Amino acid sequence: MLNCLLIKISYNSRGLPVRSYRTISAHELMLGRGAECNVHLPDPRLSMHHAVIKQNDEGQPVIQALNGELELDGTLVPGLVLSYGTRVMVGPYELKVEPAPPDVNLAISLVLAHRLPDDFQDLKARTHQPLANASRFKRRLSIFLAALIALVFLVLPLLQNLVPQVHSTMAELPFGFDRVWSPGRISTSHMHFASQCSNCHQAPLKKVSDKACLSCHRDTGPHIADPKLQKNVFNAAHRFIGTTRCAECHEEHKAPHPLAKQDNGMCVKCHGNIKAVDAKSTLSNVHDFDGDHPEFKLTFKTGADSKDIERIPQSDKARLVEKSGLKFPHYQHTGKVQGPKGIWDVRELSCTNCHVPEGKEMRFKPFTFKNNCLSCHAKELELGPKELQLTVPHGNEQNVFDKLKLYATKQFSSYSENLKKNGCAYCHEIKEGKPGDALPWRVAPLNINQDWFSKAQFNHNAHRTQQCINCHKVEESESSADVAIPDRKSCLQCHSGSKPKHKRIASNCMSCHNFHHSHYADVINPTAKLDDNDVDVLLSISKDSNK
């Protein structure tokens, strides 16, 4: 999301500059002559969509030419990174990057550097009388042009759609007459057949049907993992809360905007009155993150299986306890800590010493004893005096007891008790063995949580400008049972709802949620394909249309 301060500079009758200021928040800033552009520049020398400003993969603002030209120091360029002091010509306008205030990402000024020449007075002085028979020629020319326009923009497209012979002939060509009816640019996903409008618009003068979409997207899984809820939400009986056609959420001819709608409107249609869609739902009505969004629910692992989870709202403080099987005080692992060699080995630990990020979203690598613990805690696995020191392996209790029986037969009981009380128990919960068990005690299974928000998505990379402790308060945590996940109140310090607020970023539903985690539906039946009998169930196509 770009928060841009736009400064337009014009000149009054005395030739003095006049500045107007406006803040724009959008994923992309379109510059051009079109009225729908974020930055409207009413000059006939500009294209309708001349250029666009957006962020590149590194988060830097860049400007790219679309249907016009960009000029930098007299040279035409396709695009460039916008940094402080950059000057680039967008048609007759000069764009300059100004110093940005703290609450915006980018500040730009626009001034009309090359005005249109005024040739009217010169033309009037040289014109004394109208040309002979000029009106007759113009009348004939206008009739001819009107007929040509009707032929190209009305008759030929209608012939292509209404006459089967013309339709079949045009289907073999890389262009179509009905392309002149296109209301906007085609998305990149559909560009390979953009010239054949009939692929989507199968019936003239009618909306695009779901069946037209499914003619290509036959391997698309259900949008909601629960089949009953899928059928209930997309059933035509619920049209009173809004239509559910594919094209209602996936809007074409809106490029360069995303094909899938990114606003809150479609989400709120159901979740604003969730009982109307699912009477058994326990969810709260939600309209906006800054308004009535409930407290976050955290996902706790309760067993080794991926389905062994429990979701607890952060408002239920008494139940927010992580039972990981570890004994880990965060406060002893932050800042300067004493290393394994005593006072002469003082180390400076930060969050990233253990939480190692990976991937574009900065997820974290799983913890291992070898990578995260061994350098400081090797002594917990050492037994006996220095001259007869024995090091037991980490990871499997059976291997530990086998080594004790082999190399310390006489000291087996004392070494085993020492490990249970001081060695393994230094970091792990210990479970006593029961009569008849093969081992006298075991280490409790580990349930280290890797995904606290199983119903949402979070990108650490987007928050890399913040320190870890700004959101995760762990400096005084003395127990591994403490949960240091930020709550909704913490997020609202930097984020607002669908509309931006002072020093807060606008965040819609899609900022944190996918549509019902539709990718989970593939896990239910990954080989499933849609056939004609599934269409009405999955995407609300009536039964009559499939007969």
Side-chain angles (χ1 to χ4, degrees):
M1 178 69 71
L2 273 174
N3 286 335
C4 178
L5 175 64
L6 175 64
I7 307 171
K8 279 194 174 182
I9 304 175
S10 58
Y11 292 88
N12 60 18
S13 57
R14 294 184 294 173
L16 298 176
V18 178
R19 292 174 171 250
S20 62
Y21 298 82
R22 181 162 67 102
T23 301
I24 305 175
S25 296
H27 291 285
E28 297 178 344
L29 301 182
M30 186 68 66
L31 291 78
R33 184 160 47 92
E36 69 276 12
C37 294
N38 307 88
V39 183
H40 181 221
L41 302 175
D43 192 293
R45 292 169 290 182
L46 289 172
S47 302
M48 297 297 288
H49 302 96
H50 197 90
V52 64
I53 297 176
K54 58 184 180 179
Q55 289 179 320
N56 59 16
D57 294 337
E58 289 75 28
Q60 299 173 309
V62 297
I63 183 170
Q64 293 180 348
L66 294 178
N67 301 312
E69 297 177 345
L70 300 176
E71 183 178 343
L72 178 66
D73 298 330
T75 305
L76 297 180
V77 294
L80 69 156
V81 176
L82 296 177
S83 58
Y84 172 64
T86 300
R87 293 172 180 264
V88 61
M89 294 299 298
V90 183
Y93 288 83
E94 182 185 60
L95 183 148
K96 179 182 177 183
V97 181
E98 305 284 352
D103 56 339
V104 300
N105 308 112
L106 178 68
I108 59 173
S109 63
L110 282 167
V111 60
L112 182 61
H114 305 294
R115 297 179 177 277
L116 282 169
D118 187 4
D119 297 329
F120 175 73
Q121 294 299 331
D122 179 65
L123 181 63
K124 184 177 180 181
R126 293 186 288 107
T127 303
H128 301 286
Q129 60 182 3
L131 298 175
N133 299 321
S135 60
R136 184 184 303 173
F137 170 76
K138 289 190 290 184
R139 186 181 303 109
R140 291 177 178 176
L141 179 61
S142 62
I143 293 174
F144 170 76
L145 292 177
L148 179 62
I149 291 172
L151 175 66
V152 174
F153 294 94
L154 182 62
V155 177
L156 292 179
L158 285 176
L159 285 175
Q160 179 179 341
N161 285 277
L162 299 178
V163 179
Q165 294 82 357
V166 178
H167 179 81
S168 58
T169 302
M170 296 301 299
E172 300 176 359
L173 299 178
F175 62 88
F177 293 129
D178 53 0
R179 191 173 183 180
V180 298
W181 287 350
S182 175
R185 294 176 59 197
I186 298 292
S187 65
T188 306
S189 305
H190 296 157
M191 189 65 72
H192 62 288
F193 63 82
S195 61
Q196 298 300 326
C197 304
S198 59
N199 285 352
C200 298
H201 301 275
Q202 296 178 341
L205 307 178
K206 290 185 179 181
K207 295 180 179 179
V208 177
S209 66
D210 293 344
K211 200 168 186 178
C213 301
L214 289 173
S215 63
C216 292
H217 298 277
R218 300 188 67 84
D219 59 346
T220 301
H223 277 45
I224 301 177
D226 184 350
K228 292 183 179 179
L229 184 58
Q230 161 81 16
K231 184 177 180 180
N232 195 32
V233 169
F234 288 94
N235 194 294
H238 292 283
R239 291 296 176 92
F240 67 89
I241 63 171
T243 59
T244 53
R245 294 168 49 246
C246 299
E248 291 296 324
C249 300
H250 303 278
E251 296 183 325
E252 187 51 276
H253 297 287
K254 302 292 183 181
H257 300 290
L259 188 60
K261 291 182 67 175
Q262 301 293 317
D263 59 12
N264 287 355
M266 299 306 295
C267 304
V268 172
K269 281 184 178 180
C270 289
H271 287 273
N273 184 14
I274 192 66
K275 295 292 185 182
V277 178
D278 185 6
K280 298 180 180 180
S281 175
T282 59
L283 299 177
S284 304
N285 291 337
V286 181
H287 297 83
D288 190 75
F289 179 65
D290 198 12
D292 54 357
H293 194 287
E295 291 296 325
F296 300 151
K297 284 186 177 181
L298 304 183
T299 301
F300 288 81
K301 291 190 67 175
T302 58
D305 194 275
S306 59
K307 296 181 180 180
D308 294 335
I309 60 173
E310 181 182 13
R311 301 185 67 236
I312 302 174
Q314 286 186 296
S315 56
D316 192 351
K317 303 292 185 183
R319 297 173 61 201
L320 294 180
V321 178
E322 184 182 16
K323 299 177 182 178
S324 63
L326 284 177
K327 300 175 183 177
F328 183 85
H330 266 96
Y331 82 98
Q332 291 184 0
H333 294 77
T334 56
K336 291 184 178 181
V337 300
Q338 182 175 306
K341 296 180 182 178
I343 194 170
W344 301 110
D345 187 3
V346 177
R347 304 185 180 186
E348 182 80 21
L349 292 182
S350 64
C351 301
T352 53
N353 286 111
C354 297
H355 300 277
V356 180
E358 66 175 351
K360 292 192 295 184
E361 295 187 355
M362 285 182 62
R363 308 293 288 181
F364 296 104
K365 295 181 180 179
F367 298 116
T368 63
F369 177 78
K370 180 179 179 181
N371 295 334
N372 302 104
C373 310
L374 180 60
S375 61
C376 293
H377 294 284
K379 65 180 182 180
E380 271 69 41
L381 300 177
E382 297 172 355
L383 299 168
K386 292 184 177 180
E387 61 275 8
L388 298 174
Q389 195 172 75
L390 178 66
T391 301
V392 296
H394 180 274
N396 185 287
E397 301 95 328
Q398 184 65 58
N399 293 339
V400 172
F401 289 117
D402 288 345
K403 189 165 186 178
L404 290 180
K405 291 177 182 178
L406 182 62
Y407 294 101
T409 307
K410 296 180 180 180
Q411 296 87 2
F412 178 83
S413 298
S414 60
Y415 281 6
S416 173
E417 192 68 18
N418 187 24
L419 282 173
K420 185 177 72 172
K421 293 183 177 179
N422 302 312
C424 302
Y426 188 81
C427 298
H428 293 273
E429 299 286 346
I430 302 298
K431 287 188 174 182
E432 292 286 350
K434 297 179 180 179
D437 288 349
L439 302 177
W441 52 266
R442 288 182 179 273
V443 171
L446 296 185
N447 290 317
I448 301 177
N449 203 348
Q450 299 292 342
D451 188 2
W452 292 97
F453 296 113
S454 59
K455 298 291 185 179
Q457 56 190 7
F458 183 84
N459 191 333
H460 276 95
N461 187 50
H463 298 77
R464 64 187 182 278
T465 56
Q466 302 294 317
Q467 294 184 357
C468 302
I469 59 175
N470 289 350
C471 299
H472 303 281
K473 310 299 182 182
V474 296
E475 304 97 321
E476 299 179 0
S477 174
E478 299 182 0
S479 171
S480 56
D482 295 337
V483 176
I485 302 299
D487 56 12
R488 174 173 171 266
K489 184 178 179 181
S490 176
C491 296
L492 285 174
Q493 294 178 8
C494 299
H495 294 268
S496 66
S498 57
K499 296 181 179 179
K501 294 186 177 180
H502 180 62
K503 294 185 177 180
R504 289 201 281 163
I505 304 169
S507 304
N508 57 24
C509 300
M510 295 298 179
S511 300
C512 301
H513 298 280
N514 287 324
F515 185 85
H516 279 255
H517 278 249
S518 54
H519 57 284
Y520 283 1
D522 296 337
V523 179
I524 298 174
N525 189 359
T527 61
K529 302 291 182 181
L530 293 179
D531 55 32
D532 291 339
N533 295 326
D534 296 326
V535 171
D536 60 332
V537 176
L538 295 179
L539 287 176
S540 186
I541 297 179
S542 65
K543 295 181 180 178
D544 294 337
S545 65
N546 295 316
K547 292 181 180 180

